[in-house]
Amino acid sequence: MKVKYFAWVRERVGKAEEIIEPPATVRTVEELIAWLSGQSEAYAYAFEKPKVIRTAIDHAHVKADAAISGAREIAFFPPMTGG
Amino acid sequence: MTSAVTTCPVAIRIQEDDFDIAREIAVLTKSRTDIGAVVSFSGICRADEDSSKIAALTLEHYPGMAEEEIKRHVDEAISRWPLNGVTVIHRVGRFMPGQNIVLVLTASQHRRAAFEAAEFLMDYLKTSAPFWKKEESATGTGWVEAHARDDEAAARWTKS
């Protein structure tokens, strides 16, 4: 699946997007954040406060317990500050 | 007897270029006789933020989702108020104090719907449309943190 990062999450991860293949045991947004955090220090830094991170699956806001199965694009970002 | 046909054209744009409020209102109201009120809100880059001087502001967005998220809320506004036209323009890129950032236009037969829909759209733009601001000041650069007051402003529109 494609993963995108925005604002300071992007800066901490060090890339704007990538293709990842998490193991089948990773079923929810929460579990995906935990799995990514274990991949490197950069991810651990980006997701150090998982409750602050907002997530969208295929352009729609979702909660931490949302299932990731079937997702084409998952995005992680800080709370929005537009307008 | 004929009744006036009411339509609600919607324009949503995310762009680097500046916008001209008067021209956008003219486009929205051209050849229309059913519009009795247009409310315009424009958001402008300030020079001061919590007592620190802002040199510039950079706006980043999530292409694709930003347009879809704005459209979802415009559709909801149209279902909640009798609107005759909506324009939302959000700029991205780097801005200096005094420059335009965002424009919301709402048109209706009467002013109350136009005022309320414009407020509703701005409250949701600030809290749910995927845009992020980065400030540049004398002490460096930093991402703007979301304010609880914006979430509270958006929450008042939640239907009970």
Side-chain angles (χ1 to χ4, degrees):
Chain A
M1 64 185 67
K2 184 191 270 189
V3 183
K4 291 191 171 198
Y5 309 101
F6 292 95
W8 56 256
V9 177
R10 169 177 51 74
E11 290 179 343
R12 290 183 179 194
V13 169
K15 54 188 126 183
E17 62 176 78
E18 63 184 326
I19 305 291
I20 58 161
E21 284 175 28
T25 51
V26 174
R27 287 163 309 212
T28 64
V29 164
E30 217 164 14
E31 289 169 359
L32 180 59
I33 287 175
W35 179 76
L36 281 167
S37 299
Q39 300 301 297
S40 76
E41 281 185 17
Y43 292 106
Y45 179 40
F47 294 111
E48 65 180 353
K49 289 178 185 155
K51 282 191 166 62
V52 177
I53 303 292
R54 304 294 177 93
T55 308
I57 293 183
D58 296 333
H59 292 177
H61 294 289
V62 295
K63 295 211 161 74
D65 61 357
I68 60 168
S69 112
R72 291 186 303 277
E73 185 173 293
I74 300 187
F76 294 110
F77 40 78
M80 287 67 71
T81 55
Chain B
M1 194 177 135
T2 58
S3 61
V5 176
T6 299
T7 57
C8 185
V10 170
I12 295 167
R13 302 206 301 273
I14 293 169
Q15 61 189 38
E16 292 191 10
D17 294 342
D18 197 7
F19 49 77
D20 178 330
I21 301 169
R23 194 180 68 199
E24 296 301 333
I25 293 175
V27 168
L28 189 65
T29 56
K30 187 176 164 58
S31 308
R32 300 286 294 267
T33 55
D34 55 333
I35 291 172
V38 175
V39 164
S40 83
F41 171 85
S42 42
I44 299 157
C45 180
R46 267 193 315 271
D48 293 277
E49 181 66 36
D50 299 332
S51 75
S52 65
K53 287 274 177 221
I54 302 305
L57 204 56
T58 299
L59 268 132
E60 172 178 332
H61 78 303
Y62 181 175
M65 181 178 171
E67 292 87 343
E68 287 174 28
E69 193 63 23
I70 295 170
K71 175 74 165 44
R72 270 196 279 272
H73 287 102
V74 168
D75 287 345
E76 191 181 339
I78 291 168
S79 77
R80 290 173 73 151
W81 290 278
L83 299 177
N84 294 0
V86 179
T87 298
V88 178
I89 301 173
H90 204 307
R91 295 179 71 196
V92 289
R94 188 169 177 269
F95 305 107
M96 314 302 279
Q99 294 186 314
N100 290 323
I101 296 176
V102 63
L103 176 68
V104 168
L105 299 181
T106 49
S108 187
Q109 278 188 285
H110 301 288
R111 71 181 185 281
R112 184 168 296 279
F115 274 127
E116 288 184 1
E119 272 208 273
F120 168 87
L121 287 171
M122 274 312 302
D123 285 342
Y124 276 99
L125 253 174
K126 290 192 82 80
T127 55
S128 91
F131 291 85
W132 302 274
K133 286 186 184 126
K134 194 176 197 176
E135 286 173 352
E136 295 169 41
S137 70
T139 53
T141 65
W143 292 95
V144 176
E145 283 196 44
H147 292 292
R149 63 170 183 258
D150 291 330
D151 287 324
E152 287 156 16
R156 72 198 158 117
W157 301 105
T158 307
K159 289 178 191 169
S160 53

